[in-house]
């Protein structure tokens, strides 16, 4: 399913990227049917209007490349994300590919290190092959390492996959990915999502921010291989993005599982009760135990 362009999309862009936190809170409280009228009645409408033509052109370029925009008021917006507790769902999601995948349950999210061990990557391939054969589609952060292995294995075995990006859909990194996965996009087996303005470049903070979307879209989360929650790198304390994804999913009430690998993060998640050991005879979230 691919959405046709709408006139109100540009107003949703203005609301999402150019208004203040207070304005967005007011929008949430009032829930107006006409977002354009809501913005035109604001005291700072003149400043917002200055971006109107440029953003309309940005949307036109996105649509020419096959992209679209999902607003939180649309039926096509994923209910799992909209209704997830404490995740602050984005007002808009930019999409490239078949948005219908979001409504083809069951969806399982998988997360893991960009610098995963060879053993972890092999385990990811084995696990995803089994999940796809069980009828699952996958969700990842579409990064190197585990995410890339999950996406490729899903497609190899005939499944569908959703990649949540840490940059905009018109950024060169997304364009490179779209070319690399062109067949999957054309066959409606891949969906790329981003809450970021289409021209936004990649940033570490966005990689962390997208974790809540990865966790919120799926029925449950599997951690393949995670680094320690906190580690030292170049004299700085660094948080593991995979570990944070598990914590976010846990807080949102999503079942979290971890492979029983020697990775420090996996063992911490199991010890802290954030994750259950994958493969134990625990009732599966959707359709009974897989093992």
């Amino acid at each position: 399913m691919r959405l046709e362009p709408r006139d109100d999309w540009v107003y949703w862009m203005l609301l999402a990227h150019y208004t203040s936190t207070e304005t967005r809170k007011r929008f949430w409280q009032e829930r107006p049917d006409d977002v354009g009228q809501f913005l035109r009645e604001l005291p700072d409408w003149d400043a917002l209007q200055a971006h109107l033509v440029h953003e309309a052109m940005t949307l036109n370029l996105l649509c020419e490349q096959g992209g679209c925009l999902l607003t939180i008021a649309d039926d096509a917006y994923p209910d799992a994300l909209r209704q997830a507790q404490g995740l602050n769902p984005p007002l808009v999601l930019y999409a490239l590919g078949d948005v219908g995948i979001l409504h083809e349950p069951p969806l399982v999210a998988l997360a893991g290190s960009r610098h995963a061990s060879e053993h972890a990557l092999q385990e990811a391939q084995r696990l995803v092959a089994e999940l796809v054969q069980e009828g699952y589609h996958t969700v990842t952060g579409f990064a190197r390492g585990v995410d890339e292995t999950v996406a490729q294995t899903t497609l190899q075995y005939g499944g569908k996959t959703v990649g949540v990006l840490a940059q905009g859909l018109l950024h060169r990194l997304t364009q490179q990915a779209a070319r690399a996965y062109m067949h999957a996009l054309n066959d409606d087996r891949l969906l790329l999502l981003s809450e970021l303005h289409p021209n936004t470049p990649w940033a570490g903070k966005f990689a962390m921010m997208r974790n809540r979307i990865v966790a919120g879209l799926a029925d449950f989360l599997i951690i393949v291989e995670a680094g320690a929650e906190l580690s030292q790198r170049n004299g700085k304390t660094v948080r593991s993005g995979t570990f944070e994804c598990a914590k976010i999913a846990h807080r949102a009430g999503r079942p979290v599982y971890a492979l029983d690998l020697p990775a420090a993060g996996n063992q911490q998640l199991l010890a802290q009760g954030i994750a259950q050991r994958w493969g134990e005879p625990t009732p599966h979230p959707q359709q009974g135990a897989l093992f």
Side-chain angles (χ1 to χ4, degrees), residues 226-246:
E229 179 177 13
L230 299 174
S231 60
Q232 293 295 316
R233 188 182 305 165
N234 298 325
K236 296 182 179 180
T237 301
V238 179
R239 291 185 176 274
S240 164
T242 302
F243 200 103
E244 286 298 307
C245 189

Side-chain angles (χ1 to χ4, degrees), residues 11-60:
Y11 294 107
W12 280 97
M13 285 186 73
L14 296 181
L15 178 67
H17 304 302
Y18 292 99
T19 60
S20 65
T21 301
E22 291 72 21
T23 296
R24 292 192 292 274
K25 284 182 179 178
R26 179 185 158 194
F27 179 83
W28 275 115
Q29 292 170 352
E30 298 181 8
R31 302 293 178 91
D33 293 329
D34 189 334
V35 64
Q37 180 178 343
F38 171 82
L39 293 178
R40 288 191 294 271
E41 292 174 354
L42 294 176
D44 58 347
W45 166 243
D46 287 344
L48 293 173
Q49 188 178 21
H51 301 284
L52 196 63
V53 173
H54 180 268
E55 296 305 351
M57 294 173 64
T58 299
L59 271 175
N60 185 61

Side-chain angles (χ1 to χ4, degrees), residues 21-202:
T21 301
E22 291 72 21
T23 296
R24 292 192 292 274
K25 284 182 179 178
R26 179 185 158 194
F27 179 83
W28 275 115
Q29 292 170 352
E30 298 181 8
R31 302 293 178 91
D33 293 329
D34 189 334
V35 64
Q37 180 178 343
F38 171 82
L39 293 178
R40 288 191 294 271
E41 292 174 354
L42 294 176
D44 58 347
W45 166 243
D46 287 344
L48 293 173
Q49 188 178 21
H51 301 284
L52 196 63
V53 173
H54 180 268
E55 296 305 351
M57 294 173 64
T58 299
L59 271 175
N60 185 61
L61 180 58
L62 179 65
C63 293
E64 286 178 352
Q65 298 191 15
C68 65
L69 186 149
L70 299 175
T71 82
I72 200 165
D74 293 337
D75 291 338
Y77 193 97
D79 286 335
L81 183 58
R82 180 164 39 208
Q83 297 169 3
Q85 59 189 44
L87 290 190
N88 186 27
L91 287 171
V92 300
L93 285 169
Y94 300 92
L96 182 64
D98 180 14
V99 299
I101 298 174
L102 297 171
H103 303 277
E104 294 182 18
L107 291 171
V108 53
L110 294 100
S113 172
R114 293 171 177 268
H115 308 288
S117 65
E118 186 61 32
H119 178 55
L121 296 180
Q122 291 172 355
E123 286 296 293
Q125 289 176 322
R126 178 191 64 80
L127 176 58
V128 171
E130 293 176 351
L131 288 167
V132 171
Q133 290 168 6
E134 289 284 336
Y136 287 89
H137 302 319
T138 59
V139 181
T140 75
F142 218 66
R144 297 190 307 272
V146 167
D147 290 357
E148 184 177 41
T149 297
V150 169
Q152 291 176 350
T153 305
T154 301
L155 296 171
Q156 176 185 347
Y157 283 88
K160 299 181 181 182
T161 191
V162 179
V164 184
L165 307 182
Q167 73 273 348
L169 292 191
L170 293 179
H171 187 264
R172 60 177 179 80
L173 292 178
T174 307
Q175 300 297 298
Q176 291 170 4
R179 287 192 293 271
Y181 288 87
M182 183 177 299
H183 291 300
L185 284 168
N186 290 339
D187 292 342
D188 291 338
R189 296 199 296 126
L190 170 64
L191 174 65
L192 299 178
L193 289 179
S194 177
E195 68 178 302
L196 302 167
H197 185 282
N199 295 322
T200 303
W202 186 95

